[in-house]
Amino acid sequence: MHATPFCLMLSCLQVSPDRSQFFRYDSISLRCEDQLNSTGLKVKRNTSEGWTTTCGFGWGSSSSDSTCIIGNTYPSDSGVYWCESGDRKRSNNVNITITDRAVLLDSPALPVLEGATVILRCKAEMDSSDHRFNFYKDGCPISNNSTGEITIHSASKSDEGLYKCSISGGGESLGSWLTVEASLPPSPAAPSAASSSVSVPRLMCHLLVGTPYLLSTILLGLIYRDRNRAAQMVAERRGSNDVIMEIIV
């Protein structure tokens, strides 16, 4: 199974099966998931022809406004898909490619959450038990096996990239971009241990830097107070001497 797809948008387009590449004549289900209960959500797309069209108008069929089924796909169905409400609020974009090649890479259509387990599969249009599968990331080979899949444990930003695969004697797939989204920040009410450990050194640093300034300020205040007291005492003595002189005269 793939990692659970992750969507930051309040309205999200889900693809079933959850992958970005399909063979010709495959069936695809597109569903709008909406947390805002927007009205009139419809699946739309923009293909290489450059036209924005809605499901049911020349392509796909709708069992409801928020669901679209493409029964038999063709390379001309490749493009960008999204959900859009009546007031033109859009969901995430999903890139879907319909390939006429004999090999495709089965990878998640939506971003995956940091820390998730992701499985990438190399699929041949014609199955065979003696295939050798090669996987590539950003043009560099990363695996060669007979299982036809690789597993990314605890996905991170460093795993983002353009993946593709090939089968010995069977051809090569198109590339698919894997996106890894950062995990959600911890709740302010329950800070993580990592954030606590970071704050202690920072607090010590502030104390070390601020203590000399604090002591200097206190010392200057004490000196200023003592000088004021000394000046007051001198003034009082001078005043008493003047009174004595007046009495003598």
Side-chain angles (χ1 to χ4, degrees), residues 73 105 196 222 235:
T73 57
L105 178 68
S196 298
L222 292 173

Side-chain angles (χ1 to χ4, degrees), residues 74-94:
Y74 296 89
S76 58
D77 291 310
S78 298
V80 180
Y81 289 73
W82 66 92
C83 300
E84 189 171 311
S85 65
D87 55 358
R88 297 189 177 277
K89 291 181 180 179
R90 292 178 52 151
S91 72
N92 58 307
N93 290 335
V94 177

Side-chain angles (χ1 to χ4, degrees), residues 111-149:
V112 296
L113 193 61
E114 215 171 27
T117 298
V118 185
I119 299 176
L120 305 180
R121 296 184 177 90
C122 195
K123 292 189 174 183
E125 197 168 20
M126 302 296 293
D127 291 331
S128 176
S129 59
D130 58 353
H131 282 324
R132 293 294 300 179
F133 301 89
N134 303 287
F135 290 86
Y136 306 86
K137 178 179 181 284
D138 298 328
C140 299
I142 56 174
S143 178
N144 178 289
N145 60 52
S146 59
T147 63
E149 65 180 43

Side-chain angles (χ1 to χ4, degrees), residues 10 13 39-41 49 80 105 133 140 160 166 176 179 186 189 206-207 210 235 243:
L10 293 175
L13 175 62
T39 58
L41 272 176
E49 297 175 353
V80 180
L105 178 68
F133 301 89
C140 299
E160 281 192 337
S166 66
S176 285
T179 300
H206 289 313
L207 287 175
V243 171

Side-chain angles (χ1 to χ4, degrees), residues 150-232:
I150 59 172
T151 302
I152 301 174
H153 299 283
S154 188
S156 65
K157 279 291 186 180
S158 62
D159 294 309
E160 281 192 337
L162 187 67
Y163 290 81
K164 66 179 180 179
C165 69
S166 66
I167 298 178
S168 55
E172 185 177 80
S173 75
L174 295 171
S176 285
W177 186 269
L178 177 67
T179 300
V180 180
E181 295 286 358
S183 56
L184 297 176
S187 171
S192 64
S195 62
S196 298
S197 62
V198 172
S199 62
V200 172
R202 287 183 178 176
L203 178 60
M204 294 300 295
C205 179
H206 289 313
L207 287 175
L208 290 174
V209 173
T211 299
Y213 293 102
L214 179 61
L215 292 176
S216 300
T217 302
I218 294 174
L219 183 59
L220 289 173
L222 292 173
I223 293 173
Y224 180 76
R225 184 195 64 182
D226 291 341
R227 286 184 176 178
N228 282 345
R229 286 181 178 177
Q232 186 176 1

